[in-house]
């Protein structure tokens, strides 16, 4: 198998036909596996039913055409916030920031309402929420493909 795995940024409102056309192009060019990458510009809400439809269209095409799929487990980056949802669940799930005042360094949680991207990946509960909101949701829909067509996250 060709070891190249392009991150395929899924943007706009792709139809099933458009997705299949692009996957055929990848395959014709010798690319046998792609990573589905949700990012800015995708007009479907991340982890919505429409997002899962897109993933399902790609996974079923890949299964039928001898291709492999990798799933990027986040919207944009860094991983761990489920598109900013985890930090909004609890202040304790927000990433921390360092501040220095009068020579004293302290660490405090970011405000959940203003936390842009970061979840506290050292907090086991925050990581559990992330896994529930991402990996487990993918598994509910696509676990029959795990290890065969879907190779990992």
């Amino acid at each position: 198998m060709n070891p190249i795995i392009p991150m395929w940024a899924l943007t706009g409102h792709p139809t099933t036909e458009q997705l299949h056309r692009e996957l055929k192009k990848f395959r014709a060019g010798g690319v046998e596996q792609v990573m589905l990458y949700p990012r800015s510009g995708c007009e479907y809400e991340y982890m919505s039913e429409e997002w899962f439809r897109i993933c399902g269209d790609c996974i079923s095409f890949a299964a039928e055409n001898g291709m492999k799929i990798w799933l990027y487990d986040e919207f944009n980056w860094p991983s761990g916030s489920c598109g900013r949802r985890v930090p909004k669940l609890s202040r304790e799930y927000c990433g921390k920031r360092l501040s220095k005042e009068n020579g004293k360094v302290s660490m405090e949680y970011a405000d959940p309402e203003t936390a842009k991207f970061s979840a506290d990946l050292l907090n086991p509960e925050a990581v559990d929420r992330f896994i529930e909101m991402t990996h487990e949701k993918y598994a509910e829909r696509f676990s029959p493909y795990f290890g065969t067509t879907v190779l990992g996250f």
Side-chain angles (χ1 to χ4, degrees):
M1 174 164 283
N2 184 337
I4 295 173
I5 307 170
M7 291 180 77
W8 182 21
L10 298 170
T11 57
H13 276 100
T15 64
T16 300
E17 295 75 24
Q18 289 169 323
L19 295 166
H20 289 185
R21 184 175 58 242
E22 294 305 312
L23 285 166
K24 285 177 187 174
K25 289 179 187 177
F26 278 122
R27 189 77 170 112
V31 174
E32 300 167 307
Q33 47 189 342
V34 296
M35 180 178 292
L36 306 182
Y37 177 43
R39 56 154 294 161
S40 299
C42 183
E43 296 176 29
Y44 294 123
E45 182 181 348
Y46 178 58
M47 302 305 284
S48 68
E49 288 306 313
E50 281 300 313
W51 172 251
F52 287 116
R53 179 200 56 84
I54 292 170
C55 293
D57 287 345
C58 294
I59 291 167
S60 62
F61 179 91
E64 293 167 10
N65 291 276
M67 294 180 75
K68 305 298 181 193
I69 297 290
W70 293 81
L71 299 168
Y72 190 76
D73 66 357
E74 187 57 86
F75 183 82
N76 288 331
W77 62 89
S79 185
S81 75
C82 187
R84 303 180 186 175
R85 291 177 178 92
V86 172
K88 290 183 179 183
L89 294 174
S90 168
R91 187 165 200 257
E92 287 76 33
Y93 297 168
C94 293
K96 297 179 182 100
R97 62 176 171 240
L98 292 173
S99 61
K100 183 176 179 181
E101 189 173 319
N102 298 324
K104 183 179 178 185
V105 176
S106 63
M107 189 167 23
E108 58 189 43
Y109 287 103
D111 180 350
E113 292 305 312
T114 61
K116 298 267 185 202
F117 300 106
S118 290
D120 182 357
L121 299 181
L122 298 177
N123 179 328
E125 289 181 25
V127 173
D128 286 346
R129 297 300 80 74
F130 172 69
I131 291 170
E132 289 168 5
M133 297 168 81
T134 56
H135 296 76
E136 290 180 11
K137 297 298 181 190
Y138 282 111
E140 286 173 12
R141 290 162 171 85
F142 306 121
S143 62
Y145 296 99
F146 283 14
T148 56
T149 302
V150 176
L151 296 185
F153 289 88

